[in-house]
Amino acid sequence: WTNHLDEILNASSHPQDPDGVYEDWTRKILTSLSPEMLQRGVRARPSGHSMERFVQKLQNRIVNPDASTPLQIVVVGGSVTRGQGCNQPRFPGSQRCDPMKCAWPSRLEYLINTLAGT
């Protein structure tokens, strides 16, 4: 994915960070995490059938967003999933954002919707 890093960063940039304050930090994380490392962090892997259904729904949304079923992804977790501490300003002059919007499940939703063009 490092060949598409700029595209990933553009697609997943947070709307409440228009100046890209977190871009350098995110770029460092993405370049240091390999797909293999991320795969080891997954505790419950989806079945092949589930992934096929997900990809088919995503393709349908891209081709015809108005006539296809919205994707529904369930994320289970604790404080990090909820965005605990995510809204704390990290840089001078930066503002707090809604923790639910800056938590990673919301950013995943934004990334998928951006990539799907919805």
Side-chain angles (χ1 to χ4, degrees):
W1 73 41
T2 54
N3 293 336
H4 302 283
L5 190 56
D6 289 331
E7 294 168 67
I8 293 169
L9 288 170
N10 287 334
S12 64
S13 64
H14 197 281
Q16 291 185 4
D17 183 22
D19 298 327
V21 174
Y22 296 108
E23 185 175 327
D24 288 340
W25 178 81
T26 305
R27 181 181 298 276
K28 286 178 186 176
I29 288 176
L30 290 176
T31 55
S32 63
L33 293 176
S34 68
E36 294 78 19
M37 291 172 71
L38 291 173
Q39 193 68 9
R40 286 194 307 264
V42 174
R43 297 290 179 234
R45 291 180 173 84
S47 68
H49 177 71
S50 295
M51 288 305 297
E52 287 175 15
R53 286 180 47 219
F54 170 78
V55 169
Q56 185 62 49
K57 283 185 176 187
L58 183 58
Q59 288 174 336
N60 291 342
R61 295 279 303 162
I62 291 170
V63 172
N64 193 354
D66 295 330
S68 59
T69 307
L71 293 173
Q72 295 180 340
I73 299 173
V74 176
V75 179
V76 179
S79 61
V80 172
T81 306
R82 197 179 79 230
Q84 184 68 34
C86 189
N87 66 338
Q88 299 301 315
R90 301 283 193 256
F91 301 97
S94 63
Q95 299 177 354
R96 292 176 180 242
C97 64
D98 179 348
M100 292 301 287
K101 290 183 179 174
C102 94
W104 72 265
S106 178
R107 293 182 67 126
L108 174 63
E109 176 185 28
Y110 183 77
L111 172 65
I112 290 173
N113 286 334
T114 301
L115 293 174
T118 57

